[in-house]
Amino acid sequence: MASVKIGFIGLGLIGGSIAKAVRRYYPDYEILAFDKNRETLALAVQEGTIHISCSSIDDNFRGCSYIFLCAPVSYNTAYLAQLRELVDKDCILTDVGSVKTSIHEEVTALGMEENFIGGHPMAGSEKSGFANSKAHLIENAYYILTPTSKVAEEKVAAYRDFVSSLKALPVILDYREHDRITGTISHLPHIIASTLVNFVHDTDSKDELMKALAAGGFKDITRIASSSPVMWQQICLKNGKNISAILGKYIEALNQAKLLVDSADDEKLYSMFESSKDYRDSMPNSSAGPIKKQFALYCDIIDEAGGIATIATILASNNINIKNIGIVHNREFEEGVLRIEFYDEESSSKATALLQKYHYIVYEV
């Protein structure tokens, strides 16, 4: 029986992570890839993630069971035309972009609807590139599928099962609905984070006191502003109509909040904060989305030499890896002097129990 062949066009953070997941769960599958960055391809071959490094989109891609378009959104639509003659009737062609309307329209224009099922793994990181890709990046993350109206149900079912086998959580949506939803819960937050960071930068004092005093809360809600500027530029260009409408409604909500502040309406101000708290608290911690949950705890320590080193030693001796550790200077919204961040929930829980065993006062996020 011939080996299943899977092709990747673009091996960045998402493409690389999916390729690594395929390699983990299907070690016998043949994986080939094209990327403009030759160093990326060389690293992928060296690590054993891919078998074949392609210098162009050529005949190597014939006979693929799946072809993943993982380049920036604007490039993906351009690559479709190059794939048109290489895709056979059984191939499932997909992408990983967070905007779907533009690529669906291009697929329709090229007559490739019987092969195409849009894909959007709602996972990511502030860091980009193949070097930061991980096989577990899409694990337990929602993976939205947007089939065309002409693709066979058998293909949709096969792709859904394939996504599940990579430990992601498939959700099937109409591509227009996808763009409206992600415009609100993903694209809008990135714009808010970026404009908020720029607002602080532009209104800060000459000695940058705002920057120095920025609390953990500010850093948490603006963390995603560190994401790739190119990617978010492309998203705003490709999903502009939805984003503009959503921004208009959000600006109305901000104006309403301003009116409540201006009028000193104590009851409505309380109601605004209460309703947002209740809704936010109702969201499950396990919810998988594009903004990854941080696994961290806060801990009280005495200001003495070796205090942080002692905690680090306790955790390291119990094989608990620390992602980040540091003193919290502004604790307006946090309890605890020391903030320790971990790579996963299990490590965070183990660290909490262990430090409590040593009589440290621990506050979980």
Side-chain angles (χ1 to χ4, degrees):
M1 179 179 178
S3 173
V4 173
K5 184 164 70 169
I6 297 183
F8 286 86
I9 296 176
L11 270 186
L13 177 71
I14 301 299
S17 295
I18 296 174
K20 288 179 178 180
V22 173
R23 170 62 61 242
R24 170 184 286 182
Y25 295 110
Y26 298 96
D28 296 331
Y29 281 14
E30 181 182 357
I31 302 177
L32 61 144
F34 161 76
D35 193 282
K36 288 187 174 182
N37 189 321
R38 293 184 178 182
E39 292 180 2
T40 291
L41 292 174
L43 179 59
V45 171
Q46 180 184 341
E47 290 185 355
T49 300
I50 68 173
H51 297 98
I52 301 173
S53 169
C54 302
S55 58
S56 63
I57 300 173
D58 54 26
D59 281 350
N60 281 302
F61 285 90
R62 292 188 186 277
C64 283
S65 298
Y66 290 90
I67 296 178
F68 287 84
L69 289 160
C70 305
V73 174
S74 60
Y75 293 117
N76 282 342
T77 54
Y79 287 140
L80 280 171
Q82 298 180 53
L83 288 167
R84 188 177 182 183
E85 301 304 320
L86 302 174
V87 173
D88 63 35
K89 64 181 180 63
D90 295 321
C91 178
I92 292 175
L93 179 62
T94 186
D95 74 321
V96 298
S98 64
V99 179
K100 286 282 158 279
T101 300
S102 57
I103 196 163
H104 270 269
E105 289 176 346
E106 186 67 17
V107 163
T108 300
L110 291 170
M112 301 174 73
E113 293 173 276
E114 293 182 3
N115 291 97
F116 189 75
I117 303 173
H120 176 201
M122 298 190 74
S125 168
E126 307 90 83
K127 297 179 180 179
S128 59
F130 180 79
N132 294 298
S133 61
K134 300 175 179 65
H136 63 266
L137 187 72
I138 64 171
E139 189 172 313
N140 294 318
Y142 290 125
Y143 198 120
I144 299 176
L145 309 182
T146 60
T148 69
S149 60
K150 294 184 179 179
V151 71
E153 285 295 325
E154 293 79 7
K155 286 182 178 176
V156 178
Y159 191 18
R160 183 184 61 231
D161 292 345
F162 184 58
V163 165
S164 295
S165 72
L166 300 179
K167 309 304 180 185
L169 308 173
V171 177
I172 297 176
L173 287 177
D174 174 79
Y175 68 87
R176 301 176 191 84
E177 181 73 354
H178 166 276
D179 284 359
R180 187 186 68 81
I181 291 173
T182 56
T184 303
I185 65 170
S186 177
H187 307 165
L188 177 65
H190 277 80
I191 293 172
I192 292 171
S194 296
T195 53
L196 180 55
V197 169
N198 288 335
F199 179 77
V200 169
H201 173 268
D202 295 342
T203 57
D204 205 353
S205 55
K206 288 184 178 179
D207 52 2
E208 296 189 323
L209 272 175
M210 288 187 189
K211 182 178 180 180
L213 298 176
F218 175 82
K219 290 183 178 178
D220 284 345
I221 65 173
T222 60
R223 177 171 53 89
I224 52 178
S226 294
S227 299
S228 166
V230 173
M231 179 179 74
W232 286 101
Q233 173 205 49
Q234 293 296 311
I235 286 171
C236 286
L237 291 173
K238 292 296 182 179
N239 200 28
K241 186 176 180 180
N242 278 315
I243 291 173
S244 179
I246 293 162
L247 275 172
K249 292 178 181 178
Y250 183 70
I251 290 168
E252 290 178 11
L254 286 177
N255 283 329
Q256 184 60 36
K258 182 179 183 299
L259 287 175
L260 296 182
V261 172
D262 290 344
S263 63
D265 191 324
D266 57 340
E267 289 187 5
K268 289 185 178 179
L269 281 168
Y270 180 87
S271 177
M272 178 182 74
F273 291 116
E274 181 186 40
S275 62
S276 66
K277 178 185 185 303
D278 290 345
Y279 186 62
R280 175 63 178 81
D281 290 348
S282 72
M283 295 179 181
N285 287 333
S286 59
S287 177
I291 305 171
K292 284 296 184 185
K293 175 179 171 59
Q294 289 187 323
F295 304 104
L297 60 81
Y298 292 85
C299 178
D300 282 337
I301 61 170
I302 299 172
D303 185 10
E304 61 182 13
I308 295 178
T310 299
I311 288 179
T313 300
I314 290 172
L315 298 178
S317 62
N318 285 272
N319 299 314
I320 298 175
N321 293 323
I322 297 173
K323 183 178 183 181
N324 203 359
I325 187 168
I327 297 292
V328 181
H329 294 290
N330 184 332
R331 290 187 292 280
E332 185 177 3
F333 299 106
E334 292 98 358
E335 295 179 286
V337 176
L338 187 69
R339 184 180 189 275
I340 312 172
E341 187 178 350
F342 304 91
Y343 289 96
D344 52 63
E345 189 169 15
E346 183 181 2
S347 296
S348 181
S349 298
K350 285 182 178 179
T352 298
L354 188 62
L355 292 176
Q356 288 173 338
K357 177 183 175 182
Y358 281 88
H359 306 294
Y360 286 95
I361 298 174
V362 178
Y363 310 91
E364 290 188 272
V365 178

